[in-house]
Amino acid sequence: MKKLFLILLGTILLQNISFAQDTYMQQMQADALKLDAAKSIGDYQTLANDFARLADFKKTDWIAYYYAAYCNAKTGWLYMQSPDKITPFANLADVQIKTAISLIDTNSRKADLSEIYCVQSMIYRAKVYINPMANGKKYGPAANQYSKRANQLNPENPRAIYLLGWGKYNTPKLWGGDKDKAKEYFQKAKELFSKEVRSSFLQPTCGENDNLEMLTKYDKQK
């Protein structure tokens, strides 16, 4: 009787674990797809909180921490005109992206590491916005380095190329900025974005709309 009870208990536990895993996967996929339509600070913060809860539930899945960090970094970017609000989001994103990197084999997972470095670059950009005069020299070059490293790890990553273009576009000409060169990056990123196919939420594909906005911005300023 005791043996039968233990067997039944084990079966119930396995079923509960399987159900929880299925629910986790479904929610991850649903939230990842919502990123394509996210625009406002509220959109990104809702998703950041969702991904953070999923990350805390799973604890071993880098992609949940990656998405949470991405959404918090985007929030920092959207607060560019209110720099006093950026710090908590940038700092939280920094913790989350470092957790993501700790969960992968950095020697074999080059494409995943490229995605992580893109978000790290975004986080450092957000930290520049907090106080450009004080933080620019420290975090600006670091942001550029992470964009370059992301591109080196995966030359087909459109997010890395977009960020290289963003850096060229928004850097003063005196310090190496070049809007025409930036457009070349944006055009190349556009081509690569058009080839991306979301086969799984484990494959980040966000950023296409941001790249198109920069191309539009370039055309308007000419």
Side-chain angles (χ1 to χ4, degrees), residues 37-55:
K39 293 182 179 180
S40 69
I41 288 171
D43 292 338
Y44 283 107
Q45 274 308 287
T46 296
L47 288 169
N49 293 333
D50 284 350
F51 286 124
R53 282 191 290 269
L54 290 166

Side-chain angles (χ1 to χ4, degrees), residues 35 54 100 102 110 145 209:
L35 274 177
L54 290 166
S102 73
K110 301 299 185 184
Q145 284 302 311
N209 291 335

Side-chain angles (χ1 to χ4, degrees), residues 46-206:
T46 296
L47 288 169
N49 293 333
D50 284 350
F51 286 124
R53 282 191 290 269
L54 290 166
D56 288 340
F57 169 78
K58 185 77 170 178
K59 297 189 184 301
T60 58
D61 194 353
W62 76 276
I63 195 70
Y65 289 101
Y66 162 88
Y67 278 133
Y70 174 82
C71 290
N72 280 311
K74 277 291 295 184
T75 299
W77 281 42
L78 292 173
Y79 270 133
M80 191 189 305
Q81 303 304 320
S82 302
D84 57 307
K85 298 180 179 180
I86 296 174
T87 298
F89 300 104
N91 289 345
L92 178 56
D94 211 7
V95 171
Q96 290 167 331
I97 206 63
K98 284 179 171 57
T99 302
I101 200 172
S102 73
L103 294 172
I104 70 167
D105 181 346
T106 57
N107 291 318
S108 62
R109 304 272 290 277
K110 301 299 185 184
D112 294 340
L113 188 57
S114 175
E115 300 292 357
I116 288 172
Y117 281 171
C118 284
V119 174
Q120 186 68 75
S121 176
M122 291 175 64
I123 293 167
Y124 284 146
R125 289 288 179 199
K127 291 188 176 187
V128 171
Y129 300 153
I130 294 170
N131 188 330
M133 292 298 292
N135 293 351
K137 289 184 179 180
K138 178 179 181 181
Y139 292 115
N144 283 330
Q145 284 302 311
Y146 272 100
S147 297
K148 290 177 181 178
R149 290 167 71 183
N151 181 236
Q152 290 166 355
L153 286 166
N154 181 11
E156 300 299 303
N157 183 350
R159 280 158 294 282
I161 296 169
Y162 156 71
L163 288 170
L164 288 170
W166 195 98
K168 280 290 183 184
Y169 190 93
N170 289 283
T171 298
K173 192 170 184 178
L174 181 64
W175 297 341
D178 185 333
K179 287 182 169 54
D180 292 330
K181 179 64 177 177
K183 183 184 179 181
E184 293 178 19
Y185 281 121
F186 298 144
Q187 290 284 16
K188 184 176 180 181
K190 182 181 178 180
E191 293 174 11
L192 292 173
F193 273 121
S194 70
K195 297 176 183 177
E196 278 196 327
V197 178
R198 186 189 290 278
S199 58
S200 165
F201 65 82
L202 295 175
Q203 177 190 354
T205 57
C206 45

